[in-house]
Amino acid sequence: MATVDQIRECTDCARAFLYTANKVNSIDDFALGRIYPCVVNAAFSCELFEKAIIATEAPDRHFSNGHRLKDLFSMISPTGQAFIQDAYSHANDDIETFDQLLDEANEAFIEWRYAYEKNVDIHPNALIAFAEALNNYLKTIEE
C-alpha cells in the first residue's frame, strides 16, 4: 500500500521527467542523439503518471509494476481512460491516433534507453501529449 506522500513523490518525479522531455524537445538544434533522452524522459513520465493514477484510484493505494504503458493504461478506471483519450486527442493535432500511440509507445522506456543499438521509431510530440493528458487527469483526482 502506497502512502499519499509516496504517490505525491511519484507524481512530482513524473512531472520532473516531463519537464525534462519538454526542455530537450524544445532545443532548436534537435539533433538525432537528443531524441533518445527526450523519448526516455517522456516515456518514464508516462509510466510514473500511470502508476500514480492507478495508486490514487485503487482502494488499497497499490503501485503497479512494469514499464509497459499499454498494460498500465488498462488498469486506469474507464472514466480516467476516457478523460485521458479525450485530452490526448485535443492536444495531439492528429499526429497519430491514441491506439497507435499506445501500440508504438508501449515499451518506449524499455526500448529507447538503448535505441542506438536497434531500430526504433516514435513521434516524441505524441508521447509528450500523452504525458500531458495523464498529468491533466491526475490533477483532477489528486488529494
Side-chain angles (χ1 to χ4, degrees):
M1 181 165 147
T3 67
V4 172
D5 286 342
Q6 288 172 318
I7 295 171
R8 281 192 193 122
E9 186 174 355
C10 180
T11 301
D12 289 345
C13 288
R15 290 180 177 140
F17 282 107
L18 176 57
Y19 173 83
T20 302
N22 274 315
K23 279 299 205 187
V24 172
N25 197 36
S26 71
I27 297 170
D28 288 337
D29 181 22
F30 194 78
L32 181 60
R34 291 195 181 136
I35 194 172
Y36 302 154
C38 177
V39 171
V40 169
N41 280 281
F44 197 45
S45 74
C46 290
E47 177 184 328
L48 293 178
F49 280 131
E50 288 178 321
K51 289 178 178 182
I53 289 167
I54 294 163
T56 300
E57 290 183 336
D60 66 354
R61 300 244 185 254
H62 177 73
F63 275 122
S64 295
N65 294 322
H67 297 296
R68 290 179 173 81
L69 299 181
K70 192 172 187 176
D71 295 344
L72 291 168
F73 186 76
S74 72
M75 297 178 206
I76 295 172
S77 70
T79 301
Q81 288 181 20
F83 180 101
I84 293 160
Q85 287 176 312
D86 186 58
Y88 172 83
S89 296
H90 283 95
N92 190 34
D93 294 333
D94 297 323
I95 295 170
E96 57 191 12
T97 69
F98 189 78
D99 290 336
Q100 288 172 319
L101 167 77
L102 277 184
D103 287 339
E104 185 177 88
N106 188 40
E107 294 187 349
F109 181 70
I110 299 164
E111 296 295 323
W112 278 84
R113 290 179 295 175
Y114 304 102
Y116 58 86
E117 295 178 353
K118 54 193 103 181
N119 187 17
V120 292
D121 188 33
I122 201 165
H123 199 296
N125 291 338
L127 190 58
I128 288 171
F130 180 44
E132 296 284 0
L134 291 163
N135 185 27
N136 289 338
Y137 177 62
L138 186 55
K139 288 177 183 177
T140 69
I141 62 170
E142 283 180 311
E143 293 183 1

